[in-house]
Amino acid sequence: MESSEEDGGVPLSRMAEWRDVTPLRQDDGPNPVVPITYKEEFRETMDYFRAIYKADERSPRALRLTRRAIHLNPGNYTVWHFRRLVLEALNTDLDEELDFIQRIANSNSKNYQLWHHRRWVIERLGSNARSKELHLIKSILSLDAKNYHAWSHRQWVLQALGGWEDELDYCRQLLEQDIFNNSAWNQRYFVVTRSPFLGGLPAMRASEVRYSVEAIVVNPNNECPWRYLRGLYKDDIESLVNDREILSICLKPSQELRDAVVALWTSDTRPLDADLATAICDILEHVDSLRASYWIWRKNKLRIAA
Amino acid sequence: MATRDPLDFDVGVEEDEDGAPSPSSPLSYFERDRHVAFFGMLYDLMPYHYQSQEINRLTLAFFTISGLHLLKALDRVDKDRVASWVLSFRAHPINQAELKNGQFYGFHGSRMSQFPPDENGVSVCNAGHLASTYCALAILKTVGFNILTIDKESILISMRNLQQPDGSFMPVHLGAETDLRFVYCAAAICFMLEDWSGMDREKTKDYILNCQSYDGGFGLMPGLESHGGGTYCAVASLRLMGYIEDDLLSKNATSSIINVPLLLDWCMQRQAIDGGFQGRANKSSDTCYAFWVGAVLRILGGYKFIDKIALRGFLLTCQSEFGGFSKYPRELPDLYHSYYGCTAFSLLEEPGLNPLCAELGMTDLAALGIL
């Protein structure tokens, strides 16, 4: 049973338990580049780790040592790998391991090795671990709703173990909290297109269009629902382009744009699509001046195509 | 002042227990000499704040050495010494048979994971890593070493052990996450070694294409949110592999394998009102995305569209009076953001900097093997 407290920084060389082990110094060689001034605790811990690792000692004290080493360098994939070997050899309770990872995650929620290790544990626990895992990811996302690692892990859990039923609703909740959360919009797309319970994009498109258009009207300066709307018509852009109803709803928020479009629609000559697009590029060149060069280029491309 | 993997995006800056970052006003020009001093200092000695990065030692070395090269200050580096040091990280198979044992005989990232062979010459605990191998080769090229003279066969044959059925790459045989970062490393390694036998290119391409999101950018894995770093890894890899042409937009060519207009539009929208680049929609601008997204635009031929003055203004607010760059304005600098801040200034064609090879993330000179 691993102790839940750290060893309190007591040097390993002063512990009776480690008396029989000769620490293995890191051999940096004669002319190391970017030498690091390790703190003594770090150097010592890693010297003992090297000794245990080389000897391939898969014991309870080795497990404790990996924990100490992980606290000092949680990005060290060699330590995590060895910890897995020891966990397997000792047939350790993996639910306890999840608790351990969670404690480390509090200060290392953006660490790749930690999440990979978590995945390894969950793979062994199987679908029994599913709802607890989805719940844990939610709690991490509640602290940072855009944590890329958490979202990656969540998508993996859903695909490997299921749990899709509540996911669309979870996306809705997150978007209610922050309609600008692009991670939540992305997850929504993920669920809509991949959930085995929803029938895929064709079945979901109408309701998703309504959802995204609503979001556009409320916050037309939010990039997310615009791209999401377009994404709903991924392989069928013609349908979006020809849907006057959607387009007129989307035009509502911008007086300037609406005036330009109306001017073209009510002009004597039947407006070519290219004229409308050109007018839009002109407007954007001024209202989105950060990207003026881009809009000018887009406009010129239209002229070439016409 | 900790950093992580070379491609570990969204890193934060560790601050000292008592330290609030210095709120000095931005310097109004690119302070080359301070950056040279910053990289030079770290090249000579790194403070304990970086000890958690020991496992990525070669990456830290790459940032300092390539950083100095960008700043035309490579004379500070003892090139032969560096080459010997880097070569000593090589994982060597005993014989050809070992190349099929699942391990990767590239370069270790650190002495920490490297042990001398035992009495019988058996190598213990090989942990050759794709990212370390990329960094190793990049450093060797930077210091003028001819990497075609090393045993590349064992690198390339054993690299195949790391490729997954879906086309992605695991970075190390011990087991780790697989995502576009390591696809990029694998592609860059093959490109630098001028030999694509290290991977199944079709499968790799398919994996990359599966990572393109509905909004045109690329996520780090299929289904994930489009992300500046993921987009760089995808586009640079496709370019290195030859699946997309150089400067697509200027040639009015359209790529048939990725949705270029949508990708371009996504990239352009990443420049925020403060002039900096964000890694994802509705997130804060961060120094390094001026490289990750900027380089994508450069590869596509669309870098000319960005507002360079606004970008420069933002980057200068991230420039530290101590030398180097921070992730966000007026914070403490770290090595990772310092390197990518300099690559961003190279893309901006700042006078006094060496030109950048956008696809390889290092100087053109190094990429071409010119000392």
Side-chain angles (χ1 to χ4, degrees):
Chain A
M1 181 89 155
E2 274 195 280
S3 65
S4 55
E5 295 307 307
E6 270 314 291
D7 297 319
V10 176
L12 295 162
S13 58
R14 286 213 238 121
M15 291 185 192
E17 177 185 38
W18 290 102
R19 207 167 283 153
D20 62 305
V21 174
T22 309
L24 188 55
R25 293 237 113 174
Q26 177 173 295
D27 177 12
D28 250 13
N31 290 307
V33 177
V34 292
I36 301 173
T37 46
Y38 314 106
K39 279 188 164 169
E40 188 47 41
E41 188 195 2
F42 181 92
R43 183 201 311 277
E44 192 203 40
T45 303
M46 297 316 292
D47 286 349
Y48 275 89
F49 174 78
R50 260 183 292 276
I52 295 297
Y53 185 59
K54 191 163 186 230
D56 199 15
E57 180 189 312
R58 305 184 190 188
S59 64
R61 73 175 177 180
L63 193 65
R64 284 194 297 279
L65 185 59
T66 61
R67 198 230 310 261
R68 189 171 168 129
I70 282 166
H71 274 291
L72 290 167
N73 53 165
N76 190 322
Y77 49 84
T78 307
V79 177
W80 282 106
H81 164 70
F82 188 65
R83 186 175 174 87
R84 288 190 279 278
L85 293 178
V86 177
L87 286 169
E88 276 183 324
L90 299 181
N91 208 20
T92 313
D93 181 337
L94 291 179
D95 280 301
E96 281 186 20
E97 187 64 4
L98 288 180
D99 292 337
F100 163 66
I101 302 168
Q102 196 170 335
R103 284 196 301 278
I104 306 266
N106 290 333
S107 44
N108 292 284
S109 67
K110 295 183 180 177
N111 171 304
Y112 285 96
Q113 289 70 34
L114 179 148
W115 287 101
H116 173 75
H117 187 75
R118 195 162 182 98
R119 185 161 145 168
W120 179 87
V121 172
I122 298 294
E123 270 171 349
R124 273 143 192 79
L125 291 175
S127 43
N128 288 332
R130 181 180 83 195
S131 60
K132 193 175 164 193
E133 195 63 5
L134 289 173
H135 183 78
L136 169 94
I137 301 168
K138 266 193 195 181
S139 63
I140 297 206
L141 289 172
S142 71
L143 300 171
D144 174 4
K146 302 182 185 183
N147 184 322
Y148 205 84
H149 301 263
W151 282 114
S152 174
H153 189 62
R154 194 170 184 85
Q155 288 194 352
W156 174 78
V157 172
L158 287 167
Q159 289 178 298
L161 303 176
W164 295 93
E165 297 87 333
D166 301 322
E167 197 65 9
L168 191 63
D169 193 61
Y170 178 54
C171 294
R172 186 194 49 77
Q173 287 169 38
L174 287 176
L175 289 170
E176 262 170 27
Q177 289 165 20
D178 179 11
I179 196 71
F180 293 88
N181 183 345
N182 195 58
S183 305
W185 280 102
N186 181 77
Q187 186 71 352
R188 197 175 175 102
Y189 196 87
F190 178 78
V191 174
V192 159
T193 50
R194 298 183 195 224
S195 167
F197 296 101
L198 295 176
L201 197 50
M204 294 295 292
R205 191 159 85 185
S207 56
E208 289 303 296
V209 167
R210 278 195 297 275
Y211 185 87
S212 45
V213 167
E214 231 174 76
I216 285 170
V217 170
V218 173
N219 285 105
N221 57 330
N222 182 1
E223 184 185 345
C224 302
W226 289 101
R227 298 217 185 267
Y228 187 82
L229 174 64
R230 203 211 171 285
L232 294 171
Y233 290 87
K234 197 170 174 226
D235 296 313
D236 184 21
I237 198 68
E238 283 295 311
S239 298
L240 176 61
V241 165
N242 291 326
D243 192 325
R244 282 273 165 108
E245 197 194 318
I246 295 177
L247 292 178
S248 58
I249 296 171
C250 293
L251 285 173
K252 265 199 197 121
S254 166
Q255 181 72 46
E256 196 174 1
L257 187 59
R258 200 159 65 244
D259 289 347
V261 172
V262 164
L264 283 168
W265 277 347
T266 57
S267 70
D268 288 339
T269 59
R270 190 174 165 287
L272 297 169
D273 290 335
D275 283 343
L276 175 57
T278 301
I280 291 170
C281 285
D282 277 331
I283 294 168
L284 285 168
E285 194 186 320
H286 294 102
V287 305
D288 189 22
S289 54
L290 198 63
R291 280 163 276 273
S293 309
Y294 173 61
W295 297 120
I296 293 168
W297 176 78
R298 291 278 307 259
K299 187 170 65 181
N300 289 333
K301 284 208 86 175
L302 291 168
R303 292 208 176 114
I304 291 165
Chain B
M1 291 203 291
T3 58
R4 302 193 199 288
D5 287 332
L7 302 174
D8 191 6
F9 317 107
D10 282 349
V11 291
V13 175
E14 241 180 68
E15 283 160 11
D16 276 326
E17 299 80 32
D18 53 346
S22 145
S24 51
S25 53
L27 307 154
S28 58
Y29 52 92
F30 180 79
E31 296 260 9
R32 180 205 170 261
D33 290 347
R34 292 194 207 220
H35 301 313
V36 170
F38 180 84
F39 286 119
M41 178 194 79
L42 294 176
Y43 170 81
D44 286 329
L45 191 65
M46 301 200 73
Y48 69 84
H49 310 77
Y50 285 89
Q51 69 185 11
S52 60
Q53 293 309 301
E54 168 56 45
I55 194 68
N56 298 317
R57 195 76 175 269
L58 266 188
T59 307
L60 301 176
F62 166 69
F63 286 151
T64 58
I65 294 165
S66 190
L68 287 168
H69 199 203
L70 275 168
L71 297 166
K72 297 190 177 178
L74 201 61
D75 50 298
R76 289 193 163 216
V77 167
D78 181 336
K79 300 176 187 64
D80 290 333
R81 173 186 143 189
V82 165
S84 307
W85 182 75
V86 170
L87 289 168
S88 72
F89 284 90
R90 185 67 200 274
H92 292 285
I94 298 178
N95 51 46
Q96 282 285 101
E98 281 213 318
L99 297 178
K100 297 281 164 77
N101 66 8
Q103 298 181 22
F104 173 53
Y105 292 93
F107 288 75
H108 290 86
S110 161
R111 287 281 184 260
M112 194 269 119
S113 66
Q114 185 183 32
F115 296 82
D118 66 18
E119 313 76 52
N120 301 315
V122 176
S123 59
V124 181
C125 322
N126 166 36
H129 193 287
L130 280 178
S132 312
T133 305
Y134 160 77
C135 290
L137 296 178
I139 295 170
L140 289 170
K141 284 175 76 75
T142 301
V143 297
F145 183 88
N146 181 3
I147 61 172
L148 298 180
T149 63
I150 67 175
D151 166 25
K152 58 175 196 166
E153 264 75 43
S154 55
I155 294 179
L156 294 165
I157 295 172
S158 63
M159 187 191 294
R160 287 221 168 213
N161 297 325
L162 297 177
Q163 187 160 28
Q164 304 302 295
D166 66 355
S168 67
F169 277 84
M170 206 157 59
V172 62
H173 84 280
L174 302 174
E177 66 284 7
T178 68
D179 59 52
L180 274 183
R181 292 174 299 152
F182 307 116
V183 165
Y184 172 75
C185 291
I189 290 165
C190 288
F191 184 86
M192 287 191 278
L193 293 176
E194 300 177 15
D195 189 329
W196 291 93
S197 61
M199 63 160 66
D200 179 331
R201 258 201 285 194
E202 275 293 307
K203 271 196 172 156
T204 307
K205 178 197 68 166
D206 289 341
Y207 181 79
I208 297 172
L209 298 186
N210 285 335
C211 291
Q212 189 169 28
S213 166
Y214 61 86
D215 61 9
F218 288 77
L220 276 170
M221 295 173 74
L224 288 181
E225 188 184 358
S226 52
H227 182 289
T231 304
Y232 172 82
C233 290
V235 174
S237 297
L238 289 173
R239 175 75 199 109
L240 290 170
M241 291 160 77
Y243 284 115
I244 58 177
E245 271 181 68
D246 186 35
D247 200 10
L248 268 174
L249 299 174
S250 298
K251 292 172 181 157
N252 274 322
T254 47
S255 167
S256 55
I257 65 166
I258 58 175
N259 187 333
V260 173
L262 200 60
L263 168 63
L264 174 64
D265 200 78
W266 182 86
C267 290
M268 287 306 303
Q269 203 60 41
R270 300 290 54 84
Q271 187 168 21
I273 204 76
D274 60 10
F277 275 80
Q278 60 192 192
R280 298 182 257 165
N282 295 332
K283 288 210 79 180
S284 305
S285 300
D286 170 339
T287 299
C288 63
Y289 294 108
F291 170 75
W292 300 120
V293 181
V296 171
L297 287 167
R298 164 62 61 84
I299 292 169
L300 296 176
Y303 193 78
K304 57 193 174 187
F305 300 137
I306 71 164
D307 186 331
K308 296 189 177 100
I309 293 171
L311 174 59
R312 200 163 184 282
F314 174 80
L315 290 174
L316 288 174
T317 66
C318 297
Q319 178 175 243
S320 169
E321 60 186 334
F322 306 115
F325 289 83
S326 55
K327 174 181 170 89
Y328 296 133
R330 290 172 283 280
E331 290 187 354
L332 290 172
D334 65 72
L335 182 54
Y336 168 94
H337 289 96
S338 299
Y339 182 70
Y340 290 110
C342 289
T343 58
F345 267 95
S346 178
L347 284 173
L348 284 167
E349 295 174 343
E350 176 73 22
L353 292 186
N354 270 323
L356 187 77
C357 172
E359 297 88 349
L360 287 175
M362 55 184 161
T363 61
D364 258 342
L365 294 168
L368 294 168
I370 301 166
L371 192 57

